[in-house]
């Protein structure tokens, strides 16, 4: 397992390098000179030239990249041109909110998606199976922004069960307030993943249930509950974990839209504002942090995958 | 992106060459699947809306009429009501369909063309070309899909064309990976070796033999992917980063209607439903096509 971990860790290095190149290139690929963009159209030629020199834009690209990467590794992501604050603390503060939202969505997706998938497979061809799969089929096609708006309309405005925006009440609040505010955004964000997980879990379970060892277990007199939860689920979980890993990227991306719909103070909402304001240090920092965390989540998923299926770590 | 599309990306296998009778029965096999018929109907409706908008006696989609603002469904002169500026929602849905579908289809065409060429070159020539292309694909796929689209917008700036390019770029690695997979499995097949033996050049082998035999995989992948493209393009517009006013697609309609959610929910629910049914249509049709064209991708 340790050998596999090191091998897999080594594979992330070129990917992280590639991500850093792309993020670094963002400022340089954008139309216009970065110094011009940062100072605006009314800046004098001298001030632009001075900023170009200060930012090191008059040096070769490779040199600029090395110095930029060095600063990033030390946690210096520069200052936001709009907020005039250090980027990193601002992003970390926001990233926590995004992680809470993503974790909530993932929890919802796993509990409902996997749960419904197992039940649908166990009671294949039942009314529950048909209805659940029809809902899951529709759920896969629901755009987050539409689900979010419909949820606000029904549960916040009509029934008044849950708050429609923010993370806490304006006057502040405790963990229960946070949970109440989390329900709608987390369910909205996790709905598509839950639908996909339900379909994949069902098909993986059905495939496993037909295997010889499951028939053997039943023939040996193992109880149905144990057959489903131990024999079938453990093996079906390989597919489920793979899908879960893929869904994490979707959730991180989808959080941008969910945060905008529900005014959730996360990194996605901040990124949209930063893009509109062309606040490049902020956009670069956010993209770098989210993409890097996605790489490590994928690494963790692969580790889990190798733990579940020993064939992978020995291949 | 849906699980099915990821599944194809993971498998990346070429379907076996279709035999004559099997090809003939594609439509009948598709017709046997009731859900894919529903999908085909939904897709046909959205395409009809897009094509027929200029020919139908619809109100001017941009005509502002403040006395009719937020008019309800069924109000005189506005079958589906009016938006916050009194513009006819029915007309805007028809005209919006043109932009929404055009952006998604153009993005798909760009992603498919670029991704297919990358996949063909990578899987056929192998060596350094494969190494370079595969690493680029790895890096692009290391980004969460929507984040990559946002990064492109951050570079190019918001707008209809840039939104389309962003959605296209995000999907290039997806097509490249699928086509690389099919190319790898086809490049050593008997008919390719025979063509090579008969003196066919690389271009002819790639486009006449390998590409032609990857078509069914590409059709399935594309249909399953268009739904995601529509959602992503609409999401960019919803965030104010895609289509810019006065041009409007379903995403911008939904975003502007959101401000009046309590007073006039239909202003955002109607474009939302239009997006939902169109995406559902493409997903159902894609599922049906996958089952009919490439049974090995079928779910249990």
């Amino acid at each position: 397992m340790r050998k596999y971990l090191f091998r897999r860790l080594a594979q992330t290095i070129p990917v992280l390098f590639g991500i850093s190149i792309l993020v670094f290139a963002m400022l340089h690929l954008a139309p216009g000179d970065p110094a011009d963009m940062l100072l605006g159209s009314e800046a004098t030629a001298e001030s632009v030239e001075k900023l170009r020199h200060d930012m090191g834009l008059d040096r070769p690209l490779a040199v600029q990249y090395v110095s930029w990467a060095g600063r990033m590794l030390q946690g210096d992501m520069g200052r936001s041109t709009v907020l005039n604050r250090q980027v990193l603390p601002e992003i970390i503060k926001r990233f926590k909110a995004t992680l809470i939202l993503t974790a909530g969505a993932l929890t919802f997706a796993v509990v409902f998606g996997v749960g419904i998938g197992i039940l649908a497979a166990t009671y294949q061809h039942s009314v529950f199976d048909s209805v659940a799969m029809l809902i899951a089929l529709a759920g896969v096609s629901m755009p987050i922004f539409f689900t979010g708006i419909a949820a606000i309309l029904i549960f916040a405005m009509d029934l008044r069960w849950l708050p429609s925006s923010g993370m806490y009440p304006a006057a502040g609040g405790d963990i229960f307030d946070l949970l109440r505010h989390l329900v709608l955004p987390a369910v909205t964000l996790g709905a598509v993943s839950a639908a996909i997980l339900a379909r994949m879990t069902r098909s993986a379970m059905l495939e496993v249930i037909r295997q010889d060892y499951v028939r053997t277990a039943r023939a040996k007199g193992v109880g149905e509950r144990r057959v489903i939860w131990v024999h079938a689920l453990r093996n079906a979980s390989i597919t489920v974990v793979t899908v879960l890993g893929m869904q994490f990227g979707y959730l991180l991306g989808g959080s941008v839209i969910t945060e905008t719909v529900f005014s959730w103070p996360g990194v996605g909402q901040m990124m949209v504002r930063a893009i509109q304001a062309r606040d490049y240090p902020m956009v670069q920092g956010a993209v770098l942090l989210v993409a890097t965390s996605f790489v490590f989540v994928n690494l963790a998923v692969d580790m889990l995958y190798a733990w579940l299926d020993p064939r992978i770590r020995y291949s | 992106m849906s699980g099915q599309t990821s599944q194809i990306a993971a498998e990346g296998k070429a379907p076996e060459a279709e035999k004559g009778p099997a090809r003939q029965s594609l439509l009948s096999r598709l017709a046997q699947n009731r859900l894919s018929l529903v999908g085909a109907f939904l897709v046909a409706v959205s395409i009809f809306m897009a094509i027929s908008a200029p020919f139908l006696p619809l109100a001017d989609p941009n005509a502002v009429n403040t006395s009719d603002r937020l008019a309800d469904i069924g109000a005189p002169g506005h079958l589906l009501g009016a938006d916050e500026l009194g513009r006819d929602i029915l007309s805007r849905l028809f005209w919006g369909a043109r932009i929404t579908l055009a952006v998604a289809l153009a993005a798909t065409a760009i992603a498919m063309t670029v991704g297919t060429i990358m996949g063909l070159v990578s899987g056929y020539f192998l060596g350094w070309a494969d190494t370079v292309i595969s690493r680029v694909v790895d890096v692009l796929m290391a980004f969460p899909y929507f984040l990559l689209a946002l990064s492109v917008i951050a570079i190019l700036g918001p707008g209809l064309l840039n939104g389309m390019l962003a959605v296209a770029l995000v999907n290039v690695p997806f097509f490249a990976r699928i086509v690389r997979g099919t190319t790898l499995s086809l490049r050593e097949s008997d008919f390719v070796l025979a063509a090579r033996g008969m003196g066919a050049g690389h271009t002819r082998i790639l486009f006449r033999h390998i590409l032609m035999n990857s078509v069914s995989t590409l059709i399935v992948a594309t249909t399953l992917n268009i739904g995601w493209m529509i959602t992503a393009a609409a999401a960019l517009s919803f965030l104010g980063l895609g289509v810019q006013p006065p041009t409007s697609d379903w995403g911008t309609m939904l975003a502007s209607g959101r401000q009046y959610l309590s007073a006039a929910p239909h202003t955002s629910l109607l474009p939302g439903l239009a997006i939902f049914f169109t995406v559902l249509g493409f997903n159902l049709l894609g599922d049906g096509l996958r089952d009919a064209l490439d049974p090995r991708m079928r779910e249990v």
Side-chain angles (χ1 to χ4, degrees):
Chain A
M1 192 76 181
R2 190 177 295 174
K3 208 170 141 192
Y4 179 75
L5 172 70
F6 285 127
R7 200 172 65 211
R8 194 57 193 72
L9 261 177
Q11 284 170 359
T12 61
I13 295 170
V15 172
L16 288 175
F17 177 67
I19 288 175
S20 72
I21 295 267
L22 266 183
V23 173
F24 168 73
M26 279 172 89
L27 194 63
H28 296 270
L29 286 172
D33 188 89
D36 278 330
M37 275 187 300
L38 291 176
L39 289 175
S41 53
E42 287 171 20
T44 60
E46 290 93 57
S47 59
V48 171
E49 205 46 50
K50 186 174 178 309
L51 185 65
R52 277 183 61 80
H53 182 72
D54 291 347
M55 288 173 73
L57 294 170
D58 48 359
R59 291 182 295 166
L61 268 182
V63 177
Q64 288 185 47
Y65 170 75
V66 172
S67 101
W68 176 85
R71 285 202 310 275
M72 290 294 136
L73 285 172
Q74 291 170 42
D76 176 11
M77 292 181 166
R79 292 182 84 81
S80 156
T81 51
V82 173
L83 299 173
N84 195 25
R85 282 185 219 148
Q86 281 292 326
V87 165
L88 189 63
E90 197 65 26
I91 290 181
I92 287 177
K93 192 172 76 188
R94 294 266 187 166
F95 197 56
K96 278 184 201 157
T98 298
L99 282 184
I100 292 173
L101 173 61
T102 315
L106 205 60
T107 310
F108 169 76
V110 170
V111 171
F112 279 81
V114 176
I116 289 172
I118 293 172
L119 286 176
T122 315
Y123 302 105
Q124 196 190 2
H125 304 310
S126 67
V127 176
F128 174 81
D129 180 27
S130 309
V131 172
M133 285 308 108
L134 206 65
I135 294 173
L137 195 64
V140 172
S141 311
M142 288 278 269
I144 292 177
F145 43 88
F146 179 53
T147 320
I149 285 176
I152 290 177
L153 210 56
I154 298 168
F155 298 104
M157 288 181 162
D158 215 25
L159 299 171
R160 295 179 183 277
W161 285 354
L162 293 159
S164 65
S165 66
M167 203 167 157
Y168 289 103
D174 55 16
I175 178 96
F176 296 105
D177 288 312
L178 172 65
L179 288 176
R180 264 170 48 80
H181 280 77
L182 180 63
V183 174
L184 283 187
V187 171
T188 300
L189 179 58
V192 172
S193 302
I196 291 172
L197 270 174
R199 294 181 71 185
M200 297 304 273
T201 306
R202 178 183 178 272
S203 61
M205 287 287 286
L206 285 178
E207 204 167 324
V208 171
I209 283 172
R210 289 172 195 165
Q211 301 283 328
D212 287 343
Y213 63 84
V214 173
R215 196 176 303 132
T216 309
R218 282 193 176 127
K220 271 170 36 185
V222 176
E224 192 58 25
R225 193 171 293 176
R226 193 172 158 80
V227 167
I228 296 293
W229 290 97
V230 178
H231 293 260
L233 190 61
R234 165 96 193 227
N235 289 283
S237 58
I238 293 164
T239 311
V240 175
V241 168
T242 312
V243 178
L244 208 60
M246 289 172 178
Q247 286 309 304
F248 197 81
Y250 168 82
L251 292 177
L252 277 177
S255 64
V256 177
I257 306 161
T258 315
E259 286 170 10
T260 307
V261 173
F262 290 96
S263 307
W264 188 265
V267 82
Q269 191 199 34
M270 182 203 74
M271 198 160 25
V272 173
R273 284 188 198 151
I275 290 173
Q276 280 161 341
R278 310 203 82 175
D279 185 351
Y280 280 94
M282 201 62 126
V283 178
Q284 282 179 306
V287 172
L288 193 65
L289 193 70
V290 177
T292 308
S293 60
F294 183 45
V295 169
F296 284 104
V297 166
N298 277 336
L299 182 73
V301 168
D302 277 1
M303 288 294 115
L304 190 60
Y305 197 81
W307 176 72
L308 283 167
D309 187 354
R311 284 172 300 184
I312 292 164
R313 54 180 187 262
Y314 294 121
S315 63
Chain B
M1 201 173 292
S2 73
Q4 300 95 310
T5 50
S6 316
Q7 197 181 332
I8 304 171
E11 290 187 7
K13 289 174 188 164
E16 284 155 24
E18 298 282 339
K19 295 191 175 87
R23 189 171 287 177
Q24 280 167 11
S25 65
L26 169 65
L27 274 180
S28 61
R29 270 185 287 165
L30 200 58
Q32 280 165 13
N33 184 341
R34 270 181 295 174
L35 281 177
S36 63
L37 282 182
V38 174
F41 171 74
L42 292 173
V43 170
V45 170
S46 60
I47 292 176
F48 168 77
M49 286 172 77
I51 294 176
S52 67
F55 309 109
L56 292 175
L58 294 166
D60 179 352
N62 295 318
V64 176
N65 185 354
T66 43
S67 60
D68 285 347
R69 63 191 302 271
L70 303 178
D72 235 333
I73 294 176
H78 299 291
L79 194 62
L80 294 181
D83 69 3
E84 74 280 6
L85 294 175
R87 297 173 296 190
D88 186 61
I89 291 180
L90 178 70
S91 167
R92 290 177 69 73
L93 280 177
F94 271 75
W95 285 93
R98 288 172 83 80
I99 308 284
T100 305
L101 287 187
V103 169
L105 291 176
T108 307
I110 296 170
M112 195 173 67
T113 310
V114 177
T116 300
I117 292 171
M118 281 170 74
L120 283 173
V121 170
S122 170
Y124 182 76
F125 292 107
L126 299 177
W128 66 266
D130 183 38
T131 309
V132 171
I133 292 174
S134 295
R135 289 298 83 80
V136 170
V137 167
D138 282 350
V139 170
L140 291 178
M141 282 195 142
F143 281 84
Y145 300 108
F146 200 67
L147 184 74
L148 188 58
L150 284 179
S151 306
V152 177
I153 296 287
I155 294 167
L156 300 175
L160 184 148
L161 197 67
N162 296 344
M164 186 187 74
L165 287 175
V167 175
L169 180 89
V170 173
N171 284 279
V172 165
F174 167 70
F175 283 103
R177 199 166 266 190
I178 290 174
V179 175
R180 180 181 178 273
T182 58
T183 309
L184 272 179
S185 66
L186 288 172
R187 71 189 293 273
E188 300 301 333
S189 58
D190 289 343
F191 64 92
V192 170
L193 294 177
R196 198 174 292 150
M198 287 167 74
H202 292 316
T203 317
R204 187 176 167 81
I205 291 175
L206 274 174
F207 291 98
R208 180 87 183 82
H209 297 285
I210 294 180
L211 182 61
M212 281 304 166
N213 281 286
S214 311
V215 164
S216 57
T217 309
L218 268 176
I219 291 175
V220 175
T222 307
T223 321
L224 283 171
N225 218 21
I226 287 183
W228 187 85
M229 299 269 208
I230 293 172
T231 314
L236 286 177
S237 299
F238 176 79
L239 295 173
L241 302 174
V243 174
Q244 302 291 309
T247 312
S248 76
D249 67 347
W250 292 339
T252 46
M253 284 175 74
L254 205 149
S256 59
R258 205 181 124 215
Q259 324 287 333
Y260 309 93
L261 210 51
S262 57
H266 65 286
T267 51
S268 46
L269 285 182
L270 287 171
L273 283 172
I275 298 171
F276 167 62
F277 282 120
T278 307
V279 173
L280 181 66
F282 276 108
N283 285 347
L284 292 177
L285 187 61
D287 278 355
L289 276 171
R290 181 194 56 206
D291 292 353
L293 278 171
D294 204 350
R296 288 189 302 178
M297 288 180 183
R298 196 177 307 177
E299 287 176 70
V300 175

